Amino acid sequence: MKLLITGASGQLGTDLVQHFRHRQIEVIALTSADVDFLLPECLHDVIAAVRPDWVINCAAYTQVDKAESEPDLAWRINAEAVGTIARAIHSCGGRMLQVSTDFVFDGSKTTPYVETDQPAPINVYGQTKYEGELLAQQYCDDVIILRSAWIFGASGRNFVKTILRLAGQRDTVAVVNDQQGTPSWTRNIAEAIDGLIAAAEPGIYHFANTGVTSWYGFAALTIETATAMGLLGTSCKVEPVTTLEYPTAARRPAYSALATGKISPLYPGTIPTWEAALEAMLVELKNA
């Protein structure tokens, strides 16, 4: 089996490449330095030349707030490029797995979102990711779409690493306490994707670590655990604030937890809690 992984230098892409190469699977790792996602014909040419069995598309415009002022750029990467990939891999006889997001939902529910819930994005990022899902389904009828949430890992930029940086610089960090979701560790997402490819059943799936928390709760446990491990020299206080007290350019869902019942049978073992995943990620970061 030959895999082509786009966004291979990002936090999820990095762990996916490591995961599949560890399993002795042939991986072509494609980064923004290799191909310009703003030039769709380049993407098509690469896929046609490589002819992979699967394309796992992790590449995305992920700057949620900046997307509000750059909607065209976000759309070209999160939607147009996805359609190009879907057409190219379909014409080559391969399969596609598109990584998407919890931000396709508006946050009006109070129980975890299931795959059949209707998306209703409330920001540009979420809208463009949803349009990417639709284009992938339009041009590649056997596509697998994996939505994940609050992604964190030892590579790349993410909430956990930002909190660690701020905690090392400040005595107090203010974090929103009225937005709830499900953190997802990149290594566990990679295991879930492995299971999805092995099953090869098209459709939409949700994956996140188990449990629901707020950004405040996520930050507080990050600092507490990192301090206990010696990753932080001094303890930093986390101050809970409301969304209204911490305005951002883009609206966020108040609740975007993802249900994992559909994907659970395909995951190797029991899906870890977000607390256990966070601890494991911090251990990895400490030992890096």
Side-chain angles (χ1 to χ4, degrees), residues 198-248:
E201 288 293 328
I204 298 173
Y205 296 83
H206 289 174
F207 179 83
N209 289 100
T210 59
V212 178
T213 188
S214 66
W215 290 113
Y216 166 79
F218 196 8
L221 188 61
T222 296
I223 290 176
E224 177 185 335
T225 307
T227 301
M229 286 184 182
L231 280 169
L232 292 173
T234 57
S235 183
C236 173
K237 180 182 177 182
V238 185
E239 177 185 350
V241 296
T242 67
T243 298
L244 289 176
E245 292 174 300
Y246 193 83
T248 56

Side-chain angles (χ1 to χ4, degrees), residues 22-83:
H22 180 73
R23 292 195 53 224
Q24 307 301 310
I25 291 173
E26 183 180 0
V27 173
I28 295 90
L30 203 65
T31 72
S32 57
D34 302 311
V35 63
D36 187 348
F37 269 67
L38 299 178
L39 298 174
E41 63 275 11
C42 294
L43 281 169
H44 188 282
D45 291 347
V46 168
I47 292 168
V50 173
R51 300 188 70 84
D53 297 295
W54 284 87
V55 172
I56 304 174
N57 184 34
C58 301
Y61 182 110
T62 59
Q63 298 180 72
V64 178
D65 290 316
K66 197 173 182 181
E68 297 296 311
S69 60
E70 296 183 337
D72 291 342
L73 181 59
W75 185 85
R76 291 180 68 184
I77 296 172
N78 291 344
E80 183 182 23
V82 175

